[in-house]
């Protein structure tokens, strides 16, 4: 009987303990639900601006806690042009961006002053997910965590916002009408820089073969608008099989008219390329008629192509993964800078310069490379200009006396 009593006592203690734990868990759940009821979290998408760094829009997170009077924008796109060697650091892919938190009203005022719209998608999160995301933002904002190494395609202000949201969702994200492939990185950027031809030209000069491969769903979300569109068709599939839309509701916070591009340089890159081609043909025709050799013109061409080549050559050492293999190096490379002085001296002395044969070969290889890589606007015309001049120098270099200034 004593053994039975002891077993009964132990059972009662266990039952009381279990009930107590359930009560505490229920109280914690109620407290968490009450706390989360006052919290809303949204994805903010900002329309493109006119500056080069704002052509593709911007993404941030809005965190609101009505009970505590908190309404802030969490922004992963903080950077400063004043930092030493900013341009060089950006080219080499060693630019550091920073997470910042600012009052939501200030955030809106900034974009309103720039004439840029702001769209809000309130997320359909559970109490647990809201609190997890709140804690993740707090952890991310610690001084040792808020700075990150920026990468335009793979780790930017948009992908950072997406990743921290997805990491706190208790379930899987499913997108409607999912496809196997999407446009390439280059094609995606072209959709946003059509009205800024020189910005597009700069991008296309620096980007290599890897930027022309097709992207997947996750990769194409590096652009704010595409992430916003994907959120609209996304659902959360819970571990119990339940499904709910990712976005609870959406609204326009700031509505502005579309920004028109500034005046800028009046000619497109292709127009400038044709002008250079016309000058090359005109100079070559002049030399044929006057029986003279304008050696200084070739020197200018070599400096131009070689100077462009330095930029592309530098990108081979960049940490940007889409710039490491750039076939435009066949046309624009630093070699002419090393041969320009010698080529000028040999032209003055009516001697052949073997450099032009190598240039012609590289230019032909450049045309072949166009089957594997999309080139910047006008580069085929520039290649034709260099090929014309190379062939002319190979064939006619010794026929005419050099013109002295």
């Amino acid at each position: 009987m004593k053994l039975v009593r002891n077993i009964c006592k132990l059972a009662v203690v266990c039952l009381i303990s279990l009930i107590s734990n359930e009560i505490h868990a229920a109280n914690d759940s109620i407290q968490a639900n009450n706390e989360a009821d006052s919290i809303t979290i949204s994805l903010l998408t900002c329309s493109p601006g006119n500056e080069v760094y704002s052509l593709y829009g911007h993404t941030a997170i809005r965190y609101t806690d009505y009970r505590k009077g908190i309404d802030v924008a969490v922004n992963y796109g903080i950077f400063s042009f004043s930092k030493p060697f900013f341009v060089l650091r950006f080219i080499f892919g060693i630019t550091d961006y920073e997470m910042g938190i600012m009052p939501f009203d200030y955030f809106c005022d900034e974009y309103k002053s720039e004439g840029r719209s702001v769209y809000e998608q309130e997320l359909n999160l559970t109490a647990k997910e809201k609190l997890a995301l709140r804690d993740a933002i707090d952890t991310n904002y610690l001084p040792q965590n808020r700075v990150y190494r920026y990468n335009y395609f793979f780790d930017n202000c948009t992908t950072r916002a997406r990743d921290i949201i997805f990491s706190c969702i208790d379930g899987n994200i499913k997108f409607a009408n999912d496809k196997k492939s999407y446009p390439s990185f280059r094609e995606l950027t072209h959709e946003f820089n059509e009205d800024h031809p020189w910005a597009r030209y700069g991008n296309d000069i620096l980007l290599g073969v890897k930027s022309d491969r097709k992207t997947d769903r996750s990769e194409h979300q590096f652009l704010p608008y595409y992430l916003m569109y994907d959120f609209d068709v996304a659902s959360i599939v819970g571990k119990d099989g339940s499904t709910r839309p990712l976005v609870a509701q959406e609204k326009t916070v700031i509505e502005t008219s579309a920004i028109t591009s500034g005046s800028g340089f009046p000619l497109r890159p292709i127009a400038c390329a044709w002008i250079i081609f016309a000058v090359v043909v005109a100079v070559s025709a002049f030399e044929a008629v006057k029986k003279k050799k304008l050696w200084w013109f070739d020197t200018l061409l070599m400096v131009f192509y070689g100077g462009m080549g330095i930029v592309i050559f530098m990108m081979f050492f960049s940490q940007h993964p889409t710039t490491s293999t750039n076939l435009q190096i066949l046309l624009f490379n630093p070699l002419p800078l090393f041969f320009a002085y010698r080529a000028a001296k040999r032209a003055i002395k009516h001697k052949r310069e073997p450099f032009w044969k190598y240039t012609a070969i590289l230019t032909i290889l450049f045309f072949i490379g166009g089957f594997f890589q999309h080139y910047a606007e006008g580069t085929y015309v520039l290649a034709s200009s260099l090929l014309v001049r190379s062939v002319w120098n190979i064939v006619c270099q010794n026929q005419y006396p050099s013109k002295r200034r």
Side-chain angles (χ1 to χ4, degrees):
M1 290 296 295
K2 185 176 181 180
L3 178 60
V4 173
R5 285 197 299 269
N6 289 337
I7 292 175
C8 291
K9 289 180 181 179
L10 181 60
V12 170
V13 170
C14 291
L15 180 61
I16 293 174
S17 177
L18 180 61
I19 294 174
S20 177
N21 288 337
E22 289 294 332
I23 292 174
H24 282 300
N27 288 337
D28 289 342
S29 178
I30 293 172
Q31 183 178 355
N33 287 330
N34 291 337
E35 188 177 4
D37 282 344
S38 66
I39 296 175
T40 60
I41 300 175
S42 307
L43 184 78
L44 300 174
T45 304
C46 309
S47 64
N50 250 331
E51 301 297 332
V52 173
Y53 60 84
S54 65
L55 292 180
Y56 309 97
H58 184 55
T59 299
I61 297 172
R62 182 182 184 182
Y63 175 83
T64 307
D65 188 333
Y66 297 99
R67 179 180 298 176
K68 296 181 179 179
I70 298 173
D71 191 8
V72 296
V74 181
N75 182 2
Y76 285 92
I78 306 298
F79 68 94
S80 175
F81 283 120
S82 62
K83 290 186 176 181
F85 309 109
F86 178 85
V87 175
L88 282 177
R89 291 173 63 87
F90 187 86
I91 288 176
F92 284 110
I94 53 176
T95 307
D96 289 332
Y97 273 43
E98 186 173 336
M99 173 191 180
I101 296 179
M102 63 188 303
F104 181 66
D105 289 342
Y106 291 177
F107 180 86
C108 291
D109 289 342
E110 179 181 340
Y111 281 87
K112 188 174 183 180
S113 68
E114 296 177 5
R116 299 170 64 183
S117 301
V118 178
Y119 308 101
E120 179 178 3
Q121 295 168 296
E122 183 181 331
L123 303 180
N124 186 21
L125 304 179
T126 64
K128 179 182 177 182
E129 291 166 344
K130 290 179 182 180
L131 297 181
L133 186 50
R134 178 200 63 187
D135 294 342
I137 290 173
D138 288 342
T139 301
N140 232 194
Y141 194 57
L142 294 174
Q144 64 269 28
N145 297 334
R146 67 179 64 165
V147 177
Y148 70 98
R149 181 56 49 84
Y150 177 86
N151 184 283
Y152 177 64
F153 289 136
F154 299 103
D155 196 357
N156 63 15
C157 58
T158 301
T159 61
R160 283 263 160 171
R162 176 201 64 190
D163 291 347
I164 194 172
I165 291 172
F166 285 0
S167 68
C168 297
I169 289 178
D170 189 19
N172 297 318
I173 306 297
K174 182 179 180 181
F175 299 98
N177 302 321
D178 200 7
K179 303 175 183 177
K180 291 184 178 180
S181 67
Y182 295 81
S184 67
F185 289 113
R186 194 190 304 271
E187 291 169 337
L188 289 169
T189 58
H190 280 185
E191 295 182 23
F192 291 86
N193 56 24
E194 173 62 33
D195 295 330
H196 299 264
W198 287 100
R200 172 185 286 195
Y201 181 81
N203 283 345
D204 286 344
I205 278 290
L206 299 179
L207 293 176
V209 173
K210 294 179 182 178
S211 67
D212 290 311
R213 71 167 177 83
K214 297 300 182 181
T215 60
D216 58 27
R217 167 76 80 172
S218 175
E219 289 173 332
H220 94 149
Q221 291 173 349
F222 79 95
L223 286 169
Y225 271 20
Y226 281 104
L227 183 63
M228 179 178 70
Y229 297 150
D230 282 353
F231 268 45
D232 272 339
V233 297
S235 300
I236 301 173
V237 180
K239 295 178 180 179
D240 59 354
S242 61
T243 302
R244 55 193 157 102
L246 176 61
V247 175
Q249 60 179 336
E250 51 188 319
K251 63 179 180 179
T252 300
V253 179
I254 299 173
E255 183 66 66
T256 62
S257 56
I259 293 180
T260 56
S261 59
S263 55
F265 191 70
L267 298 178
R268 291 184 67 96
I270 186 64
C272 294
W274 278 115
I275 290 173
I276 292 174
F277 181 81
V279 171
V280 166
V281 172
V283 168
S284 301
F286 174 83
E287 290 179 340
V289 172
K290 295 296 184 179
K291 307 297 183 182
K292 295 185 180 293
K293 186 73 178 67
L294 303 181
W295 59 268
W296 53 267
F297 181 72
D298 287 328
T299 302
L300 289 177
L301 279 183
M302 294 174 76
V303 170
F304 168 70
Y305 284 89
M308 292 279 289
I310 289 178
V311 178
I312 296 179
F313 180 73
M314 290 171 60
M315 297 305 294
F316 279 81
F317 302 96
S318 172
Q319 292 186 18
H320 292 296
T322 54
T323 63
S324 57
T325 305
N326 190 342
L327 299 181
Q328 292 171 118
I329 194 71
L330 296 168
L331 177 66
F332 300 115
N333 60 78
L335 291 178
L337 298 177
F338 297 97
F339 289 90
Y341 178 73
R342 192 186 79 169
K345 285 185 63 177
R346 294 178 74 89
I348 292 173
K349 295 178 180 179
H350 320 306
K351 294 182 179 180
R352 288 188 177 274
E353 172 52 62
F355 171 76
W356 294 109
K357 292 182 180 180
Y358 303 130
T359 300
I361 294 172
L362 288 175
T363 306
I364 293 172
L365 291 175
F366 168 83
F367 281 108
I368 296 173
F371 291 101
F372 307 97
Q373 177 181 331
H374 179 98
Y375 292 149
E377 177 183 322
T379 50
Y380 283 113
V381 180
L382 291 175
S384 300
S385 301
L386 187 60
L387 186 60
V388 166
R389 199 61 191 170
S390 299
V391 172
W392 177 255
N393 276 288
I394 293 169
V395 174
C396 306
Q397 198 167 37
N398 289 337
Q399 295 184 9
Y400 311 121
S402 178
K403 180 178 179 181
R404 299 179 182 273
R405 300 181 65 183

